[in-house]
Every structure is written in C-alpha cells, then in structure tokens.
Amino acid sequence: MRIAVTVNGTEYRREVEPRLLLIHFLRDELRLTGSHWGCDTSNCGACVVWLDGTPVKSCTVLAAMAHGREVVTVEGLANDGELDPVQRGFAQCHGLQCGFCTPGMMMTARWLLNRNPDPTPGQIREAISGQICRCTGYENIVRAIRWASDYEAGGSR
Amino acid sequence: MQVPAHVEYEKAASLEDALNLLVRYGPEAKILAGGHSLIPMMKLRLVQPEVLIDINGLTELCHITVTDSQLHIGALARHAQLLDSSAAGRHFAILHDAERVIADPIVRNWGTIGGSLCQADPSEDLSAAFAALKGTMVISGTGGSRTVSAREFHTGPYETVVGPAEVLTEIRVPLAHVSGSAYLKVARRAGDWPVGAAGAAVWLDGDTIADAGIGLTAVGARHFAAAEAEEYLRGRPAAADVLARAGEIAAENCRPVSDQRGPADYKRHLACELTIRVLRTALRRARENAAAGGYAA
C-alpha cells in the first residue's frame, strides 16, 4: 500500500506492506536510525517517537497508521543545528552511558516539559516510567531533564 | 525480530464504513484501534487476521463527555484522555485510580479504552472498573446499536459478546448522588499486569450502603465482579466489620489460578484485602462528597 507520512517536517511517500511497523519504516525505509528498536514488546521505550505530537512506542504502531500524520523523531529535536535544551541537559548531566534508551527518553522528556515546564523529580520519573535504562540508574536522566527545565526558565529556578 | 504475519489493511472513513467492511470481509477481519494489544498478539502469531480495519480516523468515537445523567466514553478514547478528563475523575475516582496504573504513560497515549475492553484480557483493569460502576456498553452493527451491561460484556477470557460484524462504540456510566469509588492494584513492577486488583463503587443512604459494586481483576471472578459480596453489603451499615466480611465473601467466590505472578492462595488473599481497602476508600470519598454537597465522587 502507498502511504504518505510527514517526518520531522518532510513528507515521505513510500510503498509499504501493511504489516510494516513504524519503527522499521523510520529506520529501514527512511534511514532515520536515531530511533532505536529495542524490546519489540512495547516495554522498553527505546522506539518512542511523536505521532501527531504525542509520544508513542513505534514498535507497536503500523506505518500504515501513520499515513497522513506527522511524526517527530530524535533527529527532529534540534532546531537549525542547535541542540534542544533536553539534548544539552543529557550532555551536561551525563544522562546516558551506552545511549540506547536516550532517543526515546529525550522525546518523552521534551513532551513532558512542553506540558509541564517545571516538573518535580517524581513527575519526571512517572513520565519516563515506560522506558528502561540499564546504565544510569535513572538518576542522571532525571537530573538532565531538570537541567533542561532550569535552562528554559533562564536559570531563574 | 517480531513482525506480524502478512495482513491486508483498510482504513475506515466512518463507523458505517467500518461496519460495511466487517460485513464484506467476514470473521477473519479485525478492528484495529490503538493496536497495543492486537499488534503484540499478531507479532506472536496468537492472532492472525486476514484484514485489519483501522478505525483510528473515526473522531466520532473519541469523546469523553458528561451529560446530566451519564458519563459517555467513546470506544476510541485513549487511556491518557480518560486520565486527563477532570469531569470523569470528579464523578468516578475509580477510573483515574485505574488509569494511573494501566501500563505506562506512553502506552496510555495510544492504547484505547474500547480496545482494552474488547481484548478482554482477564488481567485488564477497566473491565473490573466498569463492572464495579455497573456501566453499559454500546455495540453497533449495520442494523443499528444495542446496549449490554458491563457484566454481560465478557463471555470468557479474550471473548466478548461483540459479534464479528459489530463494533464497541461507547461506554456509559450513570451518574449518582452520594457515591464514591476507588481502584487498587498489586503488581510486581511499575507498568506490569496485576497479581490482583479490585475496584469498588458505593452508593450511600445516610450511613447505610444502599448499593455497592465490586470489580475484581486477575483473580478469576465471574464477570470481573463480586456479586455475592455486593449482595451482602446491600442495606448494611458502612462499618469496618461489614467491610471485612464483604472482603471474605469476595475471596471465597473467586477462582484464582497459580501462575508466574503468584500462587492462587496469595491472589485469594489479595481479593479479600483489596476489596476491603477499596471499599474503605470508596466510602470515605462518598462521605466527603456528601459533606461537600456534591453530585458524585
């Protein structure tokens, strides 16, 4: 079947099998390999991307379901080459070690801060509770997201 | 790599279109809503439909509204929408209690309420919540729609009364005066399926329990409900010893099985203890609501 999906502002038209998962469409068809393919069972959250502005686990969404919709991946986070504050926070606070969970974590973090610019550590942990990191123990991820929140408040918090 | 088997795909433009497609393709067609139960089942080849009929474009099934007499939840409303609905939470705290512990925030963004109910997993939380609230399911076919009570909806594990050419379109819950509700789940990990869970709704007349609804999840309760315990509570005072006895009756009448989440006797213990705790919370909320002169908890 023929689908048209807007990814990071660019519309892509492709002929795909209906059973193709969105994560494989992004990685294999579009070669946008920033989104990671992890557990395949919607548990780990490495594959989180935004679908019409909302984070979803793209291993559990068909590419066909994204037809006519807008997808944002980690490649779309930076603005004109300038890293998003969430990305800078992960760099500043050592929010990653192996980096496998990082793209999904950052997509959820950006969404959280858009909805709640000043989240408590507890709210951050709740927001990322559907995502698994095996390196950091989460502490530095929480710090990284708090860093981005503080940065966006102009250091006023 | 887990991928679904070959499948055809149709995008429904309207409910009528979806129903016509179901008639055309017959029982090997499956409705695709959020897909968060169906797609994992397809990856494991536990389900192998020939055609998927995608209803994600049917905005007419996405509503959550409160009218004078009822809460209306469109079958395609996402779990996150229900958790975000202050009206739903104000009237039925049980729904917010349950939604907070269903899967995780990202899954709740896309998984649908109707999809969860139609999946009819014995460990699914909302089935018990709507059983406790004595809700009604609206099921549509090409010949029109019919309603069934939440307790008649499930016919067994992974089975419902929704026919091969029908779609669950709405869930309705009647609003009531001086009521309260609560849900509580015990799981081994954040986001996991429950070892056991319970939900309760109580309707008070002074300090007497005029009526009660008790839902049980993952413990082998018939229709996700503890009907014998509800019957016991009806007309009795809202006192601690009464709640304790209701918990025992709920536990006696469920049929949990031992599995990797826990042994049967522990699940039976949970059925008792969680029933008592949710009844206690539901009663507190009902009293708070009555004191505030409010409509429902």
Side-chain angles (χ1 to χ4, degrees):
Chain A
M1 63 180 293
R2 195 134 187 95
I3 61 170
V5 185
T6 300
V7 182
N8 302 330
T10 304
E11 192 190 70
Y12 296 90
R13 292 170 181 275
R14 290 287 189 283
E15 184 71 29
V16 300
E17 268 198 86
R19 64 175 172 161
L20 182 70
L21 299 166
L22 180 57
I23 183 64
H24 299 308
F25 175 74
L26 295 169
R27 289 179 57 85
D28 302 343
E29 291 288 327
L30 307 187
R31 304 305 297 169
L32 291 169
T33 53
S35 306
H36 291 163
W37 165 49
C39 71
D40 233 343
T41 56
S42 60
N43 281 295
C44 82
C47 65
V48 168
V49 302
W50 292 3
L51 187 58
D52 280 352
T54 303
V56 299
K57 292 184 173 177
S58 62
C59 74
T60 309
V61 175
L62 299 176
M65 294 162 85
H67 172 67
R69 296 181 186 266
E70 287 195 24
V71 173
V72 179
T73 69
V74 70
E75 288 92 341
L77 262 192
N79 193 1
D80 279 338
E82 187 171 334
L83 292 181
D84 186 274
V86 164
Q87 293 171 303
R88 296 179 57 176
F90 273 72
Q92 289 289 331
C93 300
H94 200 156
L96 65 148
Q97 185 174 318
C98 86
F100 199 80
C101 72
T102 313
M105 288 287 184
M106 293 197 301
M107 294 312 289
T108 298
R110 182 66 268 159
W111 182 70
L112 169 69
L113 294 178
N114 289 353
R115 284 164 55 107
N116 177 4
D118 187 19
T120 64
Q123 288 168 331
I124 292 171
R125 286 177 188 275
E126 165 66 15
I128 61 170
S129 62
Q131 289 162 265
I132 293 172
C133 171
R134 297 285 83 144
C135 303
T136 64
Y138 303 97
E139 198 59 43
N140 285 355
I141 294 176
V142 175
R143 282 199 197 108
I145 298 170
R146 274 304 319 168
W147 187 97
S149 167
D150 289 340
Y151 177 84
E152 288 178 342
S156 61
R157 280 199 287 269
Chain B
M1 178 160 108
Q2 292 181 13
V3 289
H6 176 80
V7 65
E8 297 294 321
Y9 174 94
E10 294 272 7
K11 198 175 206 73
S14 64
L15 177 59
E16 194 188 352
D17 188 26
L19 293 170
N20 287 333
L21 288 165
L22 280 174
V23 170
R24 190 202 306 168
Y25 287 107
E28 295 309 315
K30 268 276 194 194
I31 291 288
L32 173 65
H36 274 45
S37 299
L38 180 58
I39 292 172
M41 298 277 278
M42 289 173 67
K43 287 180 176 183
L44 296 170
R45 304 295 198 272
L46 293 171
V47 181
Q48 220 164 310
E50 288 173 8
V51 189
L52 292 175
I53 298 169
D54 184 350
I55 60 167
N56 280 285
L58 305 194
T59 50
E60 67 262 42
L61 300 184
C62 295
H63 57 281
I64 295 179
T65 52
V66 176
T67 62
D68 287 348
S69 62
Q70 292 188 104
L71 169 69
H72 301 255
I73 302 172
L76 196 61
R78 315 278 167 186
H79 289 287
Q81 246 179 290
L82 185 54
L83 192 48
D84 284 346
S85 166
S86 55
R90 194 167 59 248
H91 288 286
F92 304 109
I94 184 174
L95 295 176
H96 277 194
D97 289 350
E99 281 295 357
R100 272 189 209 101
V101 293
I102 290 175
D104 63 60
I106 309 298
V107 167
R108 293 198 295 263
N109 277 342
W110 197 247
T112 68
I113 291 160
S116 285
L117 294 170
C118 288
Q119 174 71 9
D121 189 301
S123 300
E124 196 278 313
D125 298 286
L126 288 181
S127 300
F130 288 119
L133 291 171
K134 303 183 181 180
T136 303
M137 314 304 197
V138 183
I139 299 168
S140 297
T142 49
S145 63
R146 62 188 177 110
T147 58
V148 299
S149 79
R151 294 175 184 205
E152 293 169 84
F153 185 75
H154 299 96
T155 51
Y158 307 101
E159 287 179 2
T160 71
V161 296
V162 179
E166 289 184 317
V167 177
L168 171 67
T169 47
E170 190 177 84
I171 302 98
R172 295 177 186 160
V173 185
L175 304 188
H177 285 283
V178 194
S179 66
S181 62
Y183 191 82
L184 197 56
K185 161 163 152 176
V186 170
R188 298 194 310 172
R189 293 170 295 225
D192 199 1
W193 295 100
V195 180
V202 291
W203 293 269
L204 281 180
D205 178 8
D207 221 25
T208 299
I209 298 171
D211 198 6
I214 300 171
L216 293 173
T217 307
V219 292
R222 262 191 320 277
H223 308 298
F224 291 93
E228 298 82 359
E230 295 168 354
E231 181 56 40
Y232 168 79
L233 286 171
R234 217 163 284 133
R236 282 199 154 77
D241 59 326
V242 171
L243 305 194
R245 181 68 196 129
E248 287 171 5
I249 296 171
E252 284 161 14
N253 285 281
C254 63
R255 300 276 175 275
V257 292
S258 298
D259 60 16
Q260 79 278 15
R261 293 201 172 78
D265 60 344
Y266 176 56
K267 293 183 184 184
R268 197 179 292 280
H269 164 74
L270 284 181
C272 174
E273 186 58 33
L274 294 179
T275 295
I276 295 169
R277 291 186 194 182
V278 287
L279 281 169
R280 205 183 288 148
T281 305
L283 281 168
R284 176 175 53 77
R285 286 172 172 168
R287 289 184 183 120
E288 284 167 3
N289 166 53
Y295 194 32

